[in-house]
Amino acid sequence: AQSLAMLERHGVLTREAVANEGLDGGFSAVYPVLRALEDAGRIRRGYFVDGLGAAQFALAGALDRLRAARDPGSDRVVHLLAAADPANPYGAALPWPRRSDADRRPIQRAAGAYVVLVDGVAALYLERGGSTLQTLAPSDDPEIAVLAASALRELLLDGRLKELVIKKVDGLPVADSPFRERLLAGGFTTGYRGLVLRGAR
């Protein structure tokens, strides 16, 4: 039951995803169960996602969804997720798409932090507390950057926050950040504490 729950949660289950779950015995404890499920025809084993390692297991439905996502349409898909959400593969199964800048703080799958995925790739990381952003490599594209900044509005629309005040971006004050223009284009306004995004009154 635990193995099936992890397959449902992660879609493609790998050694790294199981390690992130913190199970006693780790991957070696669930591997015999996964192999038995494969032998019974209930799940499949293969190399489904490049870069995730050789031991990958998935339910048939997850593979169908992967095949459907292989050829995306022309519209970009944007998701705002809690950084610790199992739907966010970064920091668990995949490394964060970082630059080599030495002044960046470590990115963690921490409670209260959020990540914006654009077409499945992490573009922005909002640290716990909501006042500091880290831009990730995909946000170098201006279109992706504005879409990712606009996605932060979801925190206000669903009531998680009343306002979002960004004070720092990539360790710099937001007023000095080259990302400032992308935030303004994404709906932020200038405030005395930083750039502000407010919900509808």
Side-chain angles (χ1 to χ4, degrees):
Q2 204 168 34
S3 297
L4 288 171
M6 286 189 296
L7 283 160
E8 288 284 344
R9 186 167 33 251
H10 294 280
V12 175
L13 192 61
T14 63
R15 177 181 305 275
E16 293 81 4
V18 172
N20 193 50
E21 292 279 337
L23 292 175
D24 290 338
F27 191 70
S28 60
V30 296
Y31 184 78
V33 176
L34 295 170
R35 196 174 63 214
L37 288 169
E38 179 197 9
D39 291 343
R42 295 186 61 193
I43 65 172
R44 296 189 186 149
R45 177 166 78 174
Y47 192 68
F48 309 119
V49 181
D50 189 29
L52 287 189
Q56 298 179 23
F57 295 89
L59 295 167
L63 297 179
D64 293 339
R65 293 183 74 184
L66 278 174
R67 287 187 189 103
R70 186 177 8 197
D71 302 317
S74 58
D75 293 336
R76 294 196 179 272
V77 179
V78 182
H79 295 286
L80 173 73
L81 299 174
D85 191 318
N88 170 30
Y90 293 96
L94 298 174
W96 294 95
R98 304 288 303 264
R99 295 186 191 88
S100 59
D101 299 350
D103 62 340
R104 301 276 175 112
R105 293 187 0 202
I107 296 178
Q108 299 175 343
R109 294 173 58 92
Y114 293 92
V115 62
V116 179
L117 304 179
V118 179
D119 292 337
V121 181
L124 276 183
Y125 178 82
L126 180 65
E127 292 184 11
R128 182 188 345 215
S131 64
T132 304
L133 270 179
Q134 286 197 45
T135 62
L136 302 170
S139 63
D140 291 343
D141 179 323
E143 178 188 357
I144 290 175
V146 172
L147 284 170
S150 300
L152 294 172
R153 183 171 295 283
E154 193 176 317
L155 293 169
L156 306 169
L157 295 176
D158 65 12
R160 285 181 267 186
L161 299 174
K162 292 187 182 196
E163 71 175 6
L164 181 60
V165 180
I166 302 297
K167 297 176 183 175
K168 287 188 173 188
V169 177
D170 296 332
L172 294 172
V174 70
D176 301 333
S177 171
F179 199 74
R180 180 180 186 275
E181 296 304 317
R182 309 284 190 249
L183 290 169
L184 291 171
F188 283 78
T189 58
T190 304
Y192 71 93
R193 294 176 292 161
L195 292 186
V196 182
L197 189 60
R198 291 188 175 92
R201 294 182 184 262

